[in-house]
Amino acid sequence: MIELDEEQQRARDWFESLRDRICAEFEGIEREVGSEAAFGYTPWERTDPDGSPGGGGVRGLMKGQVFEKVGVNVSTVGGRFSEEFARSIHGAGEDPRFFATGISLVAHMANPHVPAVHMNMRFLATTKRWFGGGADLNPPIPYEEDTADFHARLRAACAAHDPTFYPRFSKWAEEYFQIPHRNVQRGVGGIFYDHLEGPFEASFAFTRDVGEAFLDVFPKLVRRRMETPFDSADKARQLEYRGRYAEFNLIYDRGTLFGLKTGGNVDAILMSLPPVATWG
């Protein structure tokens, strides 16, 4: 086990509690359609390159009738970055020691009219301390109403803390979730933020509100669309979209790179990949 200070423990506890509530809500949606699908949880541990304990996490995975594949992972890790990787991490250039705790969620839906979604939040400590994260909606078949409701809920969470947050963080998401080699967006956006270094209490409160906003709005969108009829053309569109989603996560996603570079659990890191996808 790695030792945690008070701030690190509080962040870890909240990420785990958010995981529990999200998973319970998603299982509840499965019950509404008569499915008994439930999350299975697989703990994992890592060892730092010097042989000392490096923390670990729990991989949560469910495959159901509504959620074709959804992963909700929590992890708390620490140790030392490699010298090369440390130079790319905020505050780690002169001291490679780090701590990170967070939650990561990706849901791929059975019905192509239900949007896929990604959400993650994290607290990192090097010689600096900061929160980062966000949520973005990834519909194979976009609906303006769904996009508007998702953004409105995140906008409200941001507005409660700083009027500049939503304009800044939605623009950041638009720029980050771009697939350069195809010159398209990965989805319809959301918010993305990083290196939020303000006072711990303020940054932690904002991060919590983002998590609560996600838990509030996404299940509503699922219930709105999960019984929409679809045909083979809709399904083909979904599978092609998933291919592009996979391309982004394998080539550009910083969280994927961070997990692999720090010796994380490979299955947990790659749970973001869709169960089935196509390429033309």
Side-chain angles (χ1 to χ4, degrees):
M1 294 290 292
I2 58 177
E3 294 186 8
L4 279 61
D5 62 29
E6 181 184 359
E7 291 180 352
Q8 294 167 346
Q9 187 66 54
R10 287 178 61 196
R12 174 187 180 173
D13 289 347
W14 188 78
F15 290 137
E16 291 181 349
S17 73
L18 179 63
R19 181 269 316 273
D20 293 345
R21 289 183 291 132
I22 288 173
C23 292
E25 181 70 17
F26 288 1
E27 289 177 348
I29 291 174
E30 288 289 334
R31 300 293 174 272
E32 292 170 17
V33 298
S35 166
E36 294 297 319
F39 278 88
Y41 298 100
T42 305
W44 58 271
E45 296 181 356
R46 67 179 289 276
T47 302
D48 214 45
D50 66 3
S52 60
V58 177
R59 176 190 179 214
L61 184 67
M62 180 174 73
K63 297 181 179 181
Q65 293 182 27
V66 178
F67 294 87
E68 186 172 349
K69 177 187 176 186
V70 53
V72 187
N73 299 335
V74 291
S75 63
T76 300
V77 299
R80 291 176 178 267
F81 293 126
S82 68
E83 182 178 347
E84 177 185 1
F85 191 55
R87 290 194 292 268
S88 69
I89 300 296
H90 191 54
E94 296 181 0
D95 185 342
R97 290 176 295 177
F98 78 95
F99 166 86
T101 185
I103 180 172
S104 179
L105 177 153
V106 175
H108 295 288
M109 313 305 294
N111 188 319
H113 293 280
V114 182
V117 76
H118 159 256
M119 182 275 288
N120 82 87
M121 284 174 289
R122 57 197 173 275
F123 176 54
L124 280 88
T126 54
T127 60
K128 302 179 182 294
R129 292 187 169 215
W130 73 95
F131 284 90
D136 63 292
L137 201 64
N138 298 271
I141 303 173
Y143 287 87
E144 290 185 8
E145 179 186 12
D146 295 354
T147 300
D149 287 352
F150 188 77
H151 278 267
R153 187 62 185 85
L154 292 174
R155 184 185 298 111
C158 290
H161 294 267
D162 188 316
T164 72
F165 276 3
Y166 178 76
R168 287 165 54 197
F169 298 159
S170 62
K171 180 65 174 176
W172 200 340
E174 181 181 337
E175 294 171 348
Y176 179 71
F177 295 111
Q178 175 83 8
I179 307 177
H181 62 272
R182 292 190 182 273
N183 195 31
V184 296
Q185 296 295 123
R186 190 178 79 170
V188 295
I191 62 170
F192 179 81
Y193 64 100
D194 206 0
H195 304 152
L196 196 63
E197 292 184 68
F200 175 84
E201 293 299 339
S203 299
F204 188 29
F206 172 66
T207 296
R208 292 198 306 268
D209 280 356
V210 172
E212 299 298 342
F214 171 82
L215 180 55
D216 176 46
V217 69
F218 183 65
K220 293 177 181 177
L221 304 184
V222 174
R223 291 183 170 98
R224 179 184 293 169
R225 304 293 172 194
M226 67 185 187
E227 295 183 357
T228 303
F230 62 90
D231 58 22
S232 59
D234 295 332
K235 196 66 180 177
R237 185 173 176 179
Q238 179 192 47
L239 297 182
E240 181 180 0
Y241 178 80
R242 285 178 175 180
R244 296 184 178 187
Y245 190 95
E247 289 172 10
F248 177 90
N249 279 34
L250 290 174
I251 299 172
Y252 304 111
D253 188 72
R254 291 180 358 196
T256 301
L257 178 63
F258 183 90
L260 295 174
K261 289 286 188 179
T262 55
N265 180 272
V266 173
D267 289 333
I269 296 164
L270 298 182
M271 65 86 181
S272 62
L273 298 179
V276 183
T278 61
W279 284 266

